[in-house]
Amino acid sequence: MKVFNEYLNLEGIDRIKQLFLENGTVEEYKKNSFFIQQGQLQKKAGFIPKGSFRYLRYTQQEKEQVVGYSFEDDFVTSYAAFQRQMPSAASAQAIKDSIVYSLTYDDLNTFFREQDFENLRAQIAEAFLSDIYGRMLSLYCDTPEQRYTQLLQRYPQIINEVNLKEIASFIKVAPETLSRIRKKISSL
C-alpha cells in the first residue's frame, strides 16, 4: 500500500510505532481539535492508530494553507520543531476523530540512543528533507496539473481522506482551478 509520507517505508519504523503503542500516553482528539498549534513549543510526538491530521500554516491575512498530512498508521508532529525543541511553524489539526499515542522528546530520544537507532533518526530527517525539497521544486517548476497528478500517484487514497478544497490548498491552486484540472483529466 502506498504511504503519504515516505519515511514510513524506512526499515525500523515499525519498531518506533511499537514503542509509541507500548509506552505512549493515549490521547483522543475530536475533529478540528489541535495536536499542536503554530507558534507553540513542540513537546511531544504522536502515533496515529486511528484518525488523521492536516498541517496548517496561517498567513498574515489569517488564511489557512494546508502544508501536509499525517494519516492513519503515521506519526503526528512538527518534526523539525520537535527535534530542535522550538515553536512549531505549523498547526496539526484532526481531520476526523482521532486516537494518538504520544511520547515526549526525552522519551523518544532516549529510545534512539539506547537502541542505537541514531541512524534511523538521521534517515527520517533525510526523508523529510527530500520530501520538502521535492515539493518546493514542484511548486517552482511543475504545472498545477502535474502537481495534482503527482499527488494522486503518490497517495491515491487522498481523494477519500480529504475534501477537494484542502487538496487545492495543498497543491497551491484555487478550488475552481482544481475542478478544471479534474475535469480535463477525466475527459482524457
Side-chain angles (χ1 to χ4, degrees):
M1 184 166 101
K2 293 193 176 210
V3 295
F4 185 77
N5 293 306
E6 289 297 320
Y7 67 85
L8 292 170
N9 291 323
L10 294 172
E11 187 176 325
I13 216 70
D14 287 337
R15 179 61 190 104
I16 296 174
K17 290 178 184 179
Q18 196 62 36
L19 172 74
F20 277 85
L21 292 171
E22 290 173 1
N23 300 309
T25 302
V26 179
E27 301 171 351
E28 292 185 26
Y29 291 87
K30 295 291 184 194
K31 181 179 179 177
N32 296 323
S33 62
F34 290 91
F35 180 79
I36 186 74
Q37 290 190 326
Q38 183 176 325
Q40 187 179 59
L41 185 62
Q42 181 69 56
K43 296 181 179 182
K44 61 185 177 179
F47 174 70
I48 313 163
K50 180 181 177 214
S52 54
F53 289 79
R54 65 178 153 231
Y55 295 91
L56 305 169
R57 169 95 179 176
Y58 296 93
T59 66
Q60 287 184 347
Q61 297 79 25
E62 296 299 316
K63 181 183 176 202
E64 286 183 355
Q65 174 64 54
V66 177
V67 296
Y69 291 99
S70 289
F71 296 111
E72 196 163 293
D73 202 34
D74 195 350
F75 299 91
V76 57
T77 191
S78 177
Y79 189 75
F82 177 73
Q83 285 299 344
R84 297 179 71 204
Q85 287 295 276
M86 298 175 58
S88 179
S91 299
Q93 183 182 40
I95 296 171
K96 55 187 171 185
D97 290 352
S98 301
I99 295 173
V100 174
Y101 285 73
S102 68
L103 291 173
T104 67
Y105 172 83
D106 289 336
D107 292 337
L108 188 56
N109 285 292
T110 297
F111 168 81
F112 281 130
R113 278 190 313 278
E114 289 179 356
Q115 300 298 316
D116 198 25
F117 270 45
E118 294 290 332
N119 188 46
L120 179 58
R121 180 168 57 183
Q123 290 175 352
I124 292 169
E126 289 168 1
F128 273 119
L129 177 62
S130 177
D131 178 51
I132 297 300
Y133 186 65
R135 286 181 44 209
M136 183 187 76
L137 289 176
S138 183
L139 283 171
Y140 277 105
C141 301
D142 295 338
T143 66
E145 184 176 330
Q146 289 170 317
R147 290 195 302 272
Y148 178 68
T149 303
Q150 290 165 3
L151 177 62
L152 292 182
Q153 289 170 347
R154 174 180 173 180
Y155 191 71
Q157 308 94 290
I158 198 164
I159 294 295
N160 302 320
E161 298 280 344
V162 299
N163 65 47
L164 293 177
K165 182 180 174 186
E166 285 187 23
I167 292 173
S169 176
F170 183 69
I171 64 170
K172 297 287 291 168
V173 299
E176 300 79 17
T177 301
L178 180 57
S179 291
R180 285 192 294 276
I181 290 169
R182 288 171 48 85
K183 185 176 180 180
K184 179 181 175 185
I185 290 172
S186 69
S187 68
L188 297 178

